[in-house]
Amino acid sequence: MPDLTDAPALDPAIADRLKRDEHGLVAAVVQQHDTGEVLMLGWMDDEALRRTLTEGRVTFWSRSRAEYWRKGDTSGHVQLVRSVALDCDGDALLVRVHQVGAACHTGTRTCFEAGGDLGAVVGPDATA
């Protein structure tokens, strides 16, 4: 990860609540704020989360390219932050956004369209 010694740090009150993986990352589930549609999953370190919380656009850490990337900088398919929440265990973020254009790098609305349904057995209706 890059040296960010001069960059502002993530608020310690937030940083202390995060449970990062062995690479210092937390999973970030991205959801369309008004429909609840799950768009994608990305990874954030403290700096990516700080940028997301303070800049109004979603920033991720790319594990494959080992660099920060802000959704939409090259495609124009930006994610405008509406809210960010931490789960009860501190190991996952829910980032609610207004998605402009496709969320997936394949050009589909969500990353889960391209992967497709895996044919799971549907459980019984809980209201029956």
Side-chain angles (χ1 to χ4, degrees):
M1 304 226 178
D3 178 19
L4 298 169
T5 52
D6 292 334
L10 180 63
D11 179 337
I14 295 171
D16 289 346
R17 296 175 60 199
L18 298 176
K19 290 184 186 167
R20 301 160 193 81
D21 70 7
E22 64 275 11
H23 305 288
L25 302 173
V26 176
V29 176
V30 181
Q31 180 183 50
Q32 176 65 31
H33 75 99
D34 54 353
T35 66
E37 179 181 34
V38 177
L39 301 171
M40 62 174 286
L41 173 81
W43 297 93
M44 293 184 182
D45 66 0
D46 287 19
E47 176 60 14
L49 179 55
R50 184 197 67 76
R51 291 180 189 187
T52 298
L53 292 172
T54 61
E55 296 176 0
R57 296 256 318 268
V58 182
T59 298
F60 299 101
W61 174 257
S62 171
R63 297 178 301 168
S64 61
R65 296 188 312 259
E67 66 184 17
Y68 294 105
W69 61 281
R70 193 167 66 165
K71 189 70 172 172
D73 278 353
T74 57
S75 68
H77 299 163
V78 298
Q79 294 176 336
L80 304 172
V81 176
R82 294 295 180 255
S83 67
V84 180
L86 184 62
D87 80 339
C88 60
D89 296 323
D91 61 359
L93 298 162
L94 178 60
V95 184
R96 292 188 175 118
V97 302
H98 172 70
Q99 177 70 48
V100 176
C104 187
H105 71 280
T106 65
T108 59
R109 171 76 180 160
T110 82
C111 292
F112 298 97
E113 289 175 49
D117 189 297
L118 298 180
V121 173
V122 177
D125 185 350
T127 61

